[in-house]
Amino acid sequence: MKAALLLLLGSLALTAAAADKPNFLFILCDDLGYGDLACLNPQGKIVTPNLDRLAREGVIFTDAHTSSSVCTPTRYGVMTGRYNWRSKLQKGVLGGLSPRLIEQGRLTVAEMLRKQGYHTACIGKWHLGMDWTLPPGKEISELGIETREQAFSADFSKPASNGPNAVGFDYSFGISASLDMVPYAFIENGRVTAQPTEDRGLLMFHGDDKGRLSRQGPAAPGFTGYEVLPTLTDKAIAYFGERAADAKAGKPFFLYLPYASPHTPILPNPEWRGKSGLNAYADFVMEQDHEVGRLLQALDQHGLSDNTFIVFTSDNGCSPSARYDELLAKGHNPSGQFRGHKADIYEGGHRVPFLVRWPAKVKGGQTTNQLTCLTDFMATAAAITGTKLPEDAAEDSFSFLPALTGASEGIVRRSVVHHSIGGFFAIREGKWKLALCPGSGGWSEPRPGKEARDAPPIQLFDLETDAGETRNVQADHQDIVSCLQMKLEEMVANGRSTPGAHQQNAVAVDLWKKK
């Protein structure tokens, strides 16, 4: 009798503790620019009412960055709380058939939250590799996009292993990589929902008079690309409905929702075409905003809004595939005031929208200039749930709770390391940004090996007075250059940029308990 009573009391205590924990919804757009949100770029021409609502009801981070200026590396950082360049992928991105990138035994934010009693789901673009069955004699690129010859190397009749379900997610649905990469099919818990028996690509830009297509390869019958954005939202909304009762009863959920848009193929659905008055990319951004509105409405309908911690952000800056020339001609700059775009070491490559809303605990209508990186989500979620991170996890993750709560104490991020598609580094601390490469380090001019061939190999920018990175002042501040180089070398050598998971997390958890 006594043992049963103790068991019951223990169960009730766990349920009460879980009830204090929020649901987490992490929305990661693909190639959405900082300047594409009206709330961040008043001079912009794209209307984003639902994201503006999220900003009004939450906190706007004006100095948030991805760990890389391209897809796969940033997603690695979100999942692991670790800089992408500590993995074996040193530049570029994976393909749709590439094997698992996240190391065996490495703690992910999904697994961390699952251990805390959360139900976990990944709905969207994965792009972190999964292990497909390869028939004898077939091969794929491990750390790059598969070639045309490799596109049909996988046996799609068999499930892929080591995808989202292997790194902490109870449920997964979506596509394996970017929507312009094979296979063109939805995948649910490791299995394609329809066999990709056709050989074709997808239209890359709606209305393109040349009809240019994505990489040709295996595609499921009827899979066009247009259906991906609304389907992912439909699946997310259905997930809210499935989890609502449990969430209210003390078993919260974590939904990682990495959209494949507005990345190419840029395919706005009929009701959105021409809405922006700019081009198809801007129409697609407006449709993306609408889909976020559908998510917010579903949370409201299920009574989940108050205690759901939402992060809305992007995996890097806007891609030149958005057709900057067309947008600029009509007064819209997807990078806002910043230089460069996706793939670059310049701010336009990695400074991204970052909105956070949690009505139950965080006052809305705030704006913060706290330096933040997408790797910081893991430490923040750990602090909120009272999780003590082990020393071999989340080595580059700082909790951003102080920026949400106004706490003046705690260990906050003081510097951040940037990484371009070509594997070039930059380090930022305070107003100073040191780029260890000539030119953009990416796709915009001056490009490495081309226009930047004779450019200075080191660039130092004062972002306080030169947010557009137009003046290289390294010759006038050699002391700053040396100091930042030394800090970057220490971060690389130490294997971490945080002071230590136990020390950092203990402070964060203690501060949160005082709230």
Side-chain angles (χ1 to χ4, degrees):
M1 182 71 177
K2 183 177 180 181
L5 180 60
L6 288 173
L7 185 62
L8 175 62
L9 290 173
S11 176
L12 290 173
L14 285 173
T15 301
D20 291 334
K21 297 175 182 177
N23 306 303
F24 288 101
L25 170 59
F26 193 100
I27 306 170
L28 183 67
C29 284
D30 197 357
D31 290 6
L32 180 70
Y34 182 96
D36 287 329
L37 276 64
C39 57
L40 293 174
N41 181 17
Q43 288 74 45
K45 303 299 182 181
I46 301 178
V47 179
T48 54
N50 296 292
L51 293 172
D52 294 349
R53 172 197 166 186
L54 193 61
R56 286 194 308 272
E57 296 175 356
V59 181
I60 299 173
F61 285 69
T62 60
D63 203 356
H65 302 262
T66 56
S67 62
S68 169
S69 56
V70 282
C71 304
T72 299
T74 287
R75 292 157 200 272
Y76 176 89
V78 172
M79 285 291 99
T80 65
R82 188 178 188 230
Y83 280 136
N84 57 276
W85 40 267
R86 298 195 196 278
S87 77
K88 60 185 176 183
L89 183 66
Q90 297 296 298
K91 61 181 180 179
V93 299
L94 297 184
L97 303 181
S98 298
R100 167 178 170 164
L101 177 64
I102 297 175
E103 301 84 358
Q104 293 288 342
R106 174 153 290 280
L107 183 67
T108 66
V109 64
E111 186 60 37
M112 178 193 78
L113 290 173
R114 187 160 68 173
K115 289 178 179 178
Q116 291 296 310
Y118 279 72
H119 188 276
T120 58
C122 171
I123 297 175
K125 165 185 165 176
W126 183 234
H127 213 174
L128 284 168
M130 55 184 75
D131 295 332
W132 298 93
T133 297
L134 302 179
K138 297 291 186 178
E139 61 179 21
I140 45 87
S141 301
E142 180 183 6
L143 297 175
I145 302 171
E146 51 280 333
T147 65
R148 168 64 178 154
E149 293 72 28
Q150 295 172 342
F152 281 89
S153 289
D155 182 350
F156 296 110
S157 68
K158 296 180 180 177
S161 61
N162 281 320
N165 300 88
V167 295
F169 288 103
D170 296 307
Y171 173 77
S172 67
F173 176 91
I175 56 177
S176 66
S178 297
L179 190 52
D180 57 6
M181 297 177 183
V182 301
Y184 301 120
F186 286 119
I187 303 163
E188 188 168 31
N189 293 325
R191 289 184 177 273
V192 293
T193 61
Q195 284 297 310
T197 55
E198 299 177 352
D199 184 8
R200 57 182 171 83
L202 306 181
L203 182 65
M204 283 289 276
F205 197 97
H206 180 83
D208 182 12
D209 55 5
K210 295 183 179 178
R212 284 166 285 204
L213 302 177
S214 64
R215 300 168 181 87
Q216 189 169 321
F223 189 98
T224 66
Y226 286 97
E227 71 275 34
V228 172
L229 175 53
T231 297
L232 296 180
T233 303
D234 290 345
K235 286 287 185 179
I237 290 173
Y239 180 76
F240 295 154
E242 294 165 4
R243 303 308 310 169
D246 280 352
K248 294 173 185 176
K251 184 174 175 59
F253 62 79
F254 165 45
L255 173 57
Y256 172 53
L257 182 55
Y259 280 107
S261 46
H263 188 290
T264 51
I266 294 171
L267 302 174
N269 280 290
E271 60 270 34
W272 294 97
R273 294 169 194 167
K275 285 273 188 172
S276 69
L278 302 175
N279 70 3
Y281 170 80
D283 296 341
F284 208 22
V285 172
M286 290 183 67
E287 184 176 2
Q288 178 71 75
D289 174 82
H290 172 73
E291 296 302 297
V292 172
R294 291 180 61 206
L295 296 172
L296 299 180
Q297 183 180 31
L299 290 172
D300 289 343
Q301 290 173 343
H302 289 295
L304 297 171
S305 295
D306 195 50
N307 200 35
T308 296
F309 184 104
I310 300 176
V311 173
F312 175 88
T313 187
S314 178
D315 64 346
N316 44 247
C318 179
S319 166
S321 297
R323 302 186 177 179
Y324 269 67
D325 55 344
E326 295 178 359
L327 296 168
L328 289 170
K330 295 182 178 180
H332 181 77
N333 187 345
S335 299
Q337 63 177 313
F338 303 109
R339 183 179 183 180
H341 49 57
K342 175 182 179 177
D344 294 347
I345 207 70
Y346 295 135
E347 292 292 289
H350 49 78
R351 190 183 292 230
V352 291
F354 196 87
L355 311 176
V356 177
R357 191 188 78 171
W358 185 17
K361 297 286 186 179
V362 176
K363 180 183 176 182
Q366 301 183 67
T367 298
T368 177
N369 62 359
Q370 170 61 49
L371 185 63
T372 310
C373 182
L374 267 60
T375 58
D376 296 340
F377 176 63
M378 189 165 181
T380 306
I384 290 172
T385 58
T387 307
K388 294 294 180 71
L389 288 167
E391 288 292 338
D392 60 350
E395 294 94 334
D396 303 296
S397 189
F398 291 80
S399 172
F400 54 77
L401 264 179
L404 299 175
T405 62
S408 59
E409 305 171 78
I411 301 171
V412 298
R413 177 177 290 280
R414 304 295 183 192
S415 62
V416 64
V417 177
H418 308 304
H419 205 231
S420 77
I421 190 171
F424 295 102
F425 284 87
I427 180 171
R428 159 85 181 285
E429 184 166 298
K431 68 177 185 176
W432 298 109
K433 177 180 175 182
L434 177 69
L436 301 176
C437 64
S440 70
W443 292 342
S444 71
E445 297 181 0
R447 293 168 292 179
K450 295 184 179 180
E451 299 91 352
R453 186 179 294 108
D454 299 321
I458 292 178
Q459 303 172 85
L460 180 69
F461 300 107
D462 178 351
L463 296 182
E464 191 175 277
T465 60
D466 181 26
E469 298 172 282
T470 62
R471 300 184 299 276
N472 180 6
V473 297
Q474 63 91 16
D476 301 323
H477 299 280
Q478 283 300 316
D479 54 335
I480 301 295
V481 171
S482 297
C483 180
L484 290 177
Q485 279 183 311
M486 185 181 302
K487 290 190 175 186
L488 176 58
E489 290 169 3
E490 288 176 355
M491 288 181 197
V492 174
N494 291 341
R496 69 181 316 122
S497 57
T498 61
H502 290 317
Q503 178 187 352
Q504 173 184 231
N505 204 237
V507 172
V509 170
D510 288 344
L511 282 173
W512 188 237
K513 287 179 179 177
K514 294 176 184 177
K515 293 296 293 178

